Amino acid sequence: MRTSFLSFHVPEIGEQDIAAVAGAMRSGWITAGPRVKEFETRFARFVAADHAVAVNSGTAALHLALEAIGVGVGDEVLVPTLTFAATAEVVVQLGARPVLVDCCADTLNLDPSAMERAITSRTKAVIPVHFAGHPCDMDAIGQIAAAHKLRVVEDAAHALPARWRGAMVGGIGDLTCFSFYATKTITTGEGGMITTGREEWAERMRMMSLHGISKDAWKRYTAEGSWKYEIIAPGFKYNMTDIAAALGISQLDRCEEFLRARERCRRFYDEGFADEPAIERPARREGIDHAWHLYVIRIDPDRLRIDRDRMIALLKERNIGVAVHFIPLHLHRYYRETYGCKPEDFPNATAAFERIISLPIYPRLTHADLEDVVSAVIGLVREFRR
Ligand SMILES: *Cc1c(COP(=O)(O)O)cnc(C)c1O
């Protein structure tokens, strides 16, 4: 058994990252400035998008994207129930109603047929979440959205880098939101990005990210800037800092290298669990390139004498840090009480929730770490086999 605790996640911060941040700190310009611009330009190129707007969280990215397409009071927005709090709370903050949608049984991504059934005359947009880094079925979602004139705002917090039929996530839909939170595939500590092909949306989001002040407010303290500014709308304080952007630029350079390291973990797990019928490995559909942000196994309660919660507690006792992504929104008090959500309305997500465990997957994991995870999981399954 392991003698030291294996963290569920450790960010991959190298000396080059530290040097980049120190460079920003020494430059005399620490908040939104030239490094933010450079990060936006590089990020847009990386995902093949026309425009990228850097912000201070993935949540801010989602909020600004929905604001830009005009989501407001009286609107409904379709949100998968198997997601993080952020995806739905921003809908509520804009005065609109989040309508929760069940997931597909295999990928745990938004189910297009459940999405279609949830559409009403008030539905304005849908937010597909590329769960764990597996791109959603963008053909089916795109077709349904087009038929009902819905906007598609992708929550790509898990999907950097990921491809759908060869196209990078970020260059596909109307608007795509990324997160650079500490546990994500690249990090800026806290941070986010929105990509879009529409200049008018990019401009709106850029303006709203800095108090709704007229164009290029960040330049007002530079030589070419002006002290004059005008407030066009009551905006937000969502801009990224140059310190964070310096880290982002440095991390983006290694995004593909990090992916290869996560793929090494993924292969190790896939092989390690291949012959264990009580463990279901993550599904992978044809035509996608997975970002492998998460490696989510499902245990089969019919084959075991312990449930998922007990399994997690025992893994922790064996010094293996794991997590659950996610407690579906419909099981949380706010969504139950406000919208009357019931477990049976979301059969796939409710069933999945009883079974899912996210295993550690990040570049720093050694061969020995991965062996420890596999042997702890397999050991418990054998010990508690029915
Ligand atoms: C992490 C995450 C977010 C929010 O990102 P923050 O940068 O933490 O605000 C949104 N959606 C999903 C699915 C996430 O996992």
Side-chain angles (χ1 to χ4, degrees):
M1 195 183 98
R2 275 186 81 90
T3 48
S4 65
F5 187 71
L6 180 68
S7 293
F8 172 69
H9 187 79
V10 179
E12 189 61 27
I13 303 291
E15 288 307 318
Q16 59 271 63
D17 297 312
I18 294 166
V21 170
M25 307 272 277
R26 291 197 180 95
S27 73
W29 193 284
I30 56 174
T31 188
R35 284 174 177 80
V36 168
K37 289 281 151 213
E38 187 187 338
F39 186 31
E40 289 176 342
T41 305
R42 289 204 197 192
F43 194 91
R45 202 184 309 140
F46 187 74
V47 300
D50 295 327
H51 308 278
V53 179
V55 291
N56 59 10
S57 73
T59 308
L62 289 163
H63 196 180
L64 288 175
L66 294 179
E67 199 279 339
I69 59 169
V71 168
V73 177
D75 293 332
E76 292 177 357
V77 177
L78 306 177
V79 175
T81 186
L82 196 66
T83 187
F84 187 56
T87 319
E89 77 200 15
V90 293
V91 175
V92 181
Q93 283 152 10
L94 287 164
R97 179 187 177 103
V99 175
L100 302 183
V101 176
D102 202 5
C103 59
C104 299
D106 61 341
T107 58
L108 305 181
N109 273 331
L110 181 85
D111 176 3
S113 56
M115 164 192 164
E116 192 158 34
R117 287 195 297 275
I119 293 172
T120 72
S121 58
R122 292 176 297 277
T123 312
K124 180 113 181 184
V126 56
I127 315 182
V129 176
H130 304 299
F131 181 81
H134 187 306
C136 291
D137 185 345
M138 296 309 289
D139 282 352
I141 292 169
Q143 276 162 21
I144 298 164
H148 296 270
K149 297 193 166 51
L150 313 183
R151 295 290 179 201
V152 180
V153 175
E154 291 161 68
D155 181 337
H158 301 180
L160 182 71
R163 287 173 196 271
W164 164 254
R165 300 205 191 289
M168 278 288 266
V169 168
I172 302 170
D174 292 328
L175 293 138
T176 310
C177 301
F178 295 89
S179 166
F180 311 125
Y181 182 66
T183 58
K184 300 291 156 78
T185 59
I186 69 168
T187 187
T188 60
E190 296 280 358
M193 188 79 77
I194 316 116
T195 58
T196 181
R198 270 230 208 162
E199 191 171 2
E200 119 199 31
W201 286 336
E203 274 179 18
R204 174 76 185 180
M205 295 186 294
R206 197 158 274 135
M207 179 187 79
M208 292 304 279
S209 74
L210 211 48
H211 305 295
I213 291 174
S214 57
K215 243 172 129 183
D216 284 340
W218 68 274
K219 273 192 194 163
R220 66 193 183 279
Y221 301 120
T222 68
E224 40 171 331
S226 155
W227 61 269
K228 282 190 187 159
Y229 62 89
E230 186 160 41
I231 300 162
I232 294 168
F236 309 100
K237 177 64 169 145
Y238 279 168
N239 61 285
M240 182 178 272
T241 70
D242 258 29
I243 298 172
L247 182 51
I249 293 164
S250 171
Q251 289 261 302
L252 189 61
D253 278 343
R254 293 192 295 152
C255 189
E256 299 280 0
E257 173 197 326
F258 293 170
L259 171 64
R260 285 192 293 276
R262 290 192 305 278
E263 280 174 338
R264 171 178 59 81
C265 305
R266 188 276 297 171
R267 278 195 301 274
F268 193 95
Y269 287 150
D270 272 357
E271 284 166 23
F273 301 129
D275 301 323
E276 183 42 74
I279 297 171
E280 188 181 340
R281 296 170 295 170
R284 234 177 327 152
R285 288 194 187 173
E286 287 291 302
I288 64 107
D289 291 313
H290 203 303
W292 295 110
H293 165 55
L294 301 174
Y295 190 92
V296 179
I297 58 166
R298 276 179 267 184
I299 60 163
D300 183 350
D302 295 336
R303 292 174 188 271
L304 299 173
R305 284 177 285 115
I306 50 171
D307 64 6
R308 190 273 319 275
D309 293 6
R310 185 83 189 115
M311 183 92 171
I312 289 179
L314 291 170
L315 284 169
K316 197 170 176 195
E317 273 179 17
R318 284 158 180 71
N319 277 327
I320 307 293
V322 297
V324 172
H325 296 86
F326 295 93
I327 304 171
L329 296 176
H330 71 268
L331 298 178
H332 287 278
R333 186 166 77 192
Y334 173 77
Y335 291 95
R336 282 195 328 258
E337 290 182 354
T338 314
Y339 304 105
C341 298
K342 289 187 210 67
E344 57 272 26
D345 296 338
F346 309 91
N348 290 343
T350 303
F353 174 60
E354 309 268 296
R355 301 170 170 233
I356 49 179
I357 303 176
S358 304
L359 301 181
I361 181 164
Y362 50 94
R364 273 202 194 183
L365 291 171
T366 64
H367 194 80
D369 293 332
L370 295 167
E371 274 177 346
D372 288 343
V373 176
V374 171
S375 65
V377 172
I378 296 278
L380 286 170
V381 166
R382 294 206 176 129
E383 189 177 339
F384 294 99
R385 203 189 297 283
R386 226 189 256 283

